[in-house]
Amino acid sequence: MTKKNVLGVLVDATDYAGATEQVVAAAQERRPLALTALAVHGVMTGVLDRAHNARLNSFDVVTPDGQPVRWALNLLHRVGLADRVYGPTLTLHVLSRFADEGLPVYLYGSTEETLTRLIPALERMFPALKIAGVEASKFRGVQPGEENEIADRIKASGARLVLVGLGCPRQEIFTYAMRPLLDMPLMAVGAAFDYHAGLLRQPPPWMQRAGLEWFWRLGLEPKRLWRRYVILNPAYLGRLFAQKAGLWKARPPAPATERLTEFAV
């Protein structure tokens, strides 16, 4: 009942505690769960691609990663959320619980360099954390049958959680494709790997509260991100106000169920 329609994408009106508890419960009960944290860019990937929108709507948990997504939930549905549920911060909440519970985790995605820096950083933050396995992205499409090999490696490691850091929307597509093959939660965590490895600087807290993280990241990576923010941010706002005014119905597509055979690994 926490899922709400934001531009046709179903986003959960939840908080850090609620999202963390869902991940921990799925791990303890050995059942699949797909979670992603969506900012404006993530929501707009669904708006502009209805097939991907259907995949997002099949996720068990979609948290409001960015302040503008939280504001949309409050504006459209009056849910009264006091804070967003930011992917990198949610990752720390979840890892803290997994360390306390003795539940091993698997890190999938990013580069060897990032993972080499990320592992000791996480071990310093959570000395009791068990890292069952680590696998960098291949930066290519999946080969026939390879998804089963990846799933077998993850299950053989003893992991009870997979953190997926492939970037949006590749990580959401990977999570969707792998969920039927694994009896554990998968979390698409975006830039959390880079942030916690110390490769990206976090914006000041006041910029995060004001919803200006996009401006901070644009300043750090203008060539890569300018199209995302200059084009998608105004499109998001226009559609949001059209939905609020009743000028656009923003009907959510039914959750996807088809098996994917082509996706990035």
Side-chain angles (χ1 to χ4, degrees):
M1 297 298 293
T2 64
K3 290 193 176 294
K4 306 296 181 184
N5 177 1
V6 176
L7 281 62
V9 177
L10 299 180
V11 182
D12 288 88
T14 188
D15 56 16
Y16 286 111
T20 299
E21 196 55 46
Q22 287 184 265
V23 175
V24 172
Q28 292 172 333
E29 297 165 14
R30 294 184 175 270
R31 57 178 170 82
L33 178 140
L35 179 149
T36 187
L38 294 186
V40 166
H41 174 237
V43 171
M44 290 302 295
T45 60
V47 172
L48 300 175
D49 182 343
R50 196 159 178 84
H52 186 59
N53 194 342
R55 289 191 289 269
L56 292 175
N57 287 352
S58 78
F59 272 54
D60 302 279
V61 185
V62 175
T63 73
D65 177 273
Q67 295 288 11
V69 181
R70 176 181 72 89
W71 296 336
L73 286 169
N74 288 343
L75 176 68
L76 296 171
H77 305 290
R78 300 181 181 179
V79 295
L81 285 181
D83 197 5
R84 63 176 176 166
V85 182
Y86 182 45
T89 302
L90 177 61
T91 299
L92 298 184
H93 282 264
V94 169
L95 291 180
S96 177
R97 284 290 306 279
F98 272 65
D100 291 343
E101 300 282 344
L103 296 168
V105 304
Y106 198 98
L107 309 178
Y108 188 96
S110 197
T111 64
E112 295 283 0
E113 176 191 2
T114 299
L115 294 172
T116 298
R117 297 183 63 168
L118 176 62
I119 294 168
L122 295 179
E123 290 174 338
R124 285 192 297 271
M125 286 187 278
F126 309 107
L129 181 66
K130 298 177 181 179
I131 298 179
V134 178
E135 192 167 341
S137 171
K138 286 78 175 168
F139 296 99
R140 58 166 171 77
V142 67
Q143 297 175 351
E146 188 177 14
E147 67 272 25
N148 294 306
E149 296 172 4
I150 294 171
D152 289 343
R153 286 196 295 272
I154 294 172
K155 289 185 286 189
S157 75
R160 301 307 317 143
L161 167 71
V162 185
L163 297 182
V164 184
L166 291 173
C168 177
R170 290 184 302 152
Q171 62 191 9
E172 284 79 20
I173 298 172
F174 178 91
T175 297
Y176 171 86
M178 296 299 295
R179 176 177 52 183
L181 306 178
L182 294 168
D183 60 347
M184 65 191 75
L186 296 99
M187 290 178 56
V189 295
F193 284 14
D194 288 331
Y195 279 127
H196 299 317
L199 297 173
L200 279 180
R201 289 178 294 157
Q202 294 270 18
W206 71 266
M207 291 190 79
Q208 296 188 46
R209 290 192 298 270
L212 293 174
E213 185 171 358
W214 66 272
F215 188 71
W216 172 269
R217 292 197 64 189
L218 180 61
L220 294 177
E221 302 178 87
K223 289 184 179 180
R224 187 174 76 87
L225 298 177
W226 76 268
R227 290 180 184 273
R228 175 188 299 186
Y229 296 128
V230 172
I231 296 174
L232 292 186
N233 282 9
Y236 173 84
L237 290 175
R239 288 177 181 262
L240 173 59
F241 288 114
Q243 183 181 354
K244 175 63 177 177
L247 302 175
W248 176 48
K249 297 301 182 183
R251 293 186 178 90
T257 58
E258 80 277 6
R259 179 83 175 267
L260 285 185
T261 57
E262 295 182 6
F263 56 95
V265 295

